[in-house]
Amino acid sequence: MEPLLYVCGIFCILYYIRIISHAGIGAAFAPIWILFAIVCMGSGFLLKFQFLEKLWIPIWIQIIGCSIVVFGILVFCIVEGILIYYGHVKPKQQADYMIVLGAKVNGRIPSKTLQRRVEKSALYLQENKKTKVIVSGGMGRGERVTEAFAMKQLLVQRGISSDRIIMEEKSVNTDQNIRFSKSFIKEQSQKSMEQLELVIATSDFHIFRGISLAKKQGFKKVSGCPSKSDCILAIHYYVREFFAVVKDKLMNHI
């Protein structure tokens, strides 16, 4: 058991190094891999020197502790399975609206993640001429334009008429992306939330939360248009998304 824990710890350290070498030292949530490494290698150290056996721990505490660990692993696996499944869904055709969720803009340059989302959205919009699109995202740290503005520019470059594009430039998280975009839809659409067909366009790991937030806010007919994640960062994104899903569930957002 100890060798496996050491291997896991070493993997976490090496993966952390790979993340920051690929995405920069400021990559969001990257230090979690150092924490994972400490937990794995620390557990291996305790087992190797039998520290736990030298401690007298009541059996009921051992049972509760093991149950919590097993439950946590089970929940993690279930959530990750759901995220992976939703990451491969296909959008309904001829939707009334598409909401493209924002991602990082480096100064004025859209990140690769944002470019992938827009490229996949543009393909859908080229095939579904009647669908209107809301590009949703405000301006964060290190950004000189809003994410919505950057997305609109990319869509126009890919042949999507600016008349079809609505910019939502105030949101700073996924919940706000949906809520603020909903305001535009309610102003312009004559259909009810139950009748309206909506597509959420975002990265594959993010589709489940985007759809769940939209349904929580009253949309009934929601499908996803996933774009592929960066192959190097995919594991990191899916692990990070697990914690985001748990947080939104605890806050009753989904």
Side-chain angles (χ1 to χ4, degrees):
M1 186 63 179
E2 304 99 280
L4 178 61
L5 288 168
Y6 288 137
V7 169
C8 289
I10 292 170
F11 168 81
C12 290
I13 292 172
L14 293 177
Y15 189 54
Y16 171 75
I17 294 171
R18 188 68 183 97
I19 289 171
I20 62 175
S21 66
H22 183 71
I25 192 69
F29 214 67
I32 192 67
W33 293 97
I34 297 298
L35 177 60
F36 288 161
I38 292 171
V39 170
C40 289
M41 300 185 82
S43 299
F45 182 82
L46 291 175
L47 289 174
K48 181 177 178 63
F49 292 97
Q50 299 181 334
F51 285 151
L52 295 178
E53 294 180 11
K54 297 175 183 178
L55 297 174
W56 183 81
I57 302 175
I59 187 66
W60 65 271
I61 293 181
Q62 295 182 42
I63 293 173
I64 292 174
C66 290
S67 299
I68 291 173
V69 171
V70 171
F71 178 75
I73 292 172
L74 181 62
V75 170
F76 178 81
C77 291
I78 291 173
V79 172
E80 289 298 330
I82 292 171
L83 296 180
I84 292 170
Y85 171 79
Y86 272 80
H88 292 84
V89 297
K90 293 183 179 180
K92 293 286 183 65
Q93 299 299 300
Q94 304 302 330
D96 297 291
Y97 284 89
M98 166 181 274
I99 300 175
V100 188
L101 305 183
K104 180 70 175 176
V105 175
N106 300 306
R108 293 179 175 273
I109 302 173
S111 62
K112 291 180 180 179
T113 296
L114 191 58
Q115 290 180 40
R116 289 189 180 98
R117 292 181 186 183
V118 172
E119 287 168 3
K120 192 64 181 286
S121 303
L123 290 174
Y124 179 90
L125 293 167
Q126 288 164 3
E127 295 174 357
N128 298 270
K129 304 292 185 181
K130 295 182 179 180
T131 302
K132 293 184 178 180
V133 58
I134 301 174
V135 286
S136 178
M139 188 185 304
R141 184 181 301 175
E143 298 177 338
R144 298 180 63 187
V145 297
T146 63
E147 295 166 7
F149 179 84
M151 287 189 280
K152 180 175 181 178
Q153 296 297 103
L154 288 175
L155 285 173
V156 170
Q157 291 172 14
R158 284 157 178 76
I160 306 303
S161 171
S162 60
D163 294 338
R164 297 173 66 191
I165 305 171
I166 302 166
M167 289 198 297
E168 184 287 297
E169 300 181 278
K170 296 181 179 180
S171 57
V172 296
N173 57 46
T174 308
D175 183 61
Q176 290 182 3
N177 285 149
I178 306 298
R179 180 176 292 110
F180 297 166
S181 297
K182 178 181 175 181
S183 298
F184 286 102
I185 294 173
K186 291 179 71 175
E187 289 176 3
Q188 296 189 11
S189 178
Q190 296 180 349
K191 292 185 178 181
S192 67
M193 295 295 102
E194 290 77 14
Q195 297 173 320
L196 188 139
E197 288 277 4
L198 177 68
V199 171
I200 302 294
T202 185
S203 302
D204 48 13
F205 65 89
H206 197 211
I207 283 288
F208 170 71
R209 193 152 55 100
I211 290 176
S212 299
L213 287 165
K215 288 184 175 179
K216 186 70 173 182
Q217 294 185 31
F219 293 99
K220 299 300 181 183
K221 300 179 180 179
V222 190
S223 59
C225 181
S227 58
K228 295 196 75 172
S229 303
D230 184 296
C231 59
I232 293 173
L233 299 176
I235 295 175
H236 175 61
Y237 286 148
Y238 272 96
V239 171
R240 184 183 72 181
E241 188 66 9
F242 166 78
F243 293 99
V245 168
V246 171
K247 183 197 74 171
D248 276 340
K249 185 63 177 178
L250 292 175
M251 296 178 68
N252 199 34
H253 289 166
I254 61 176

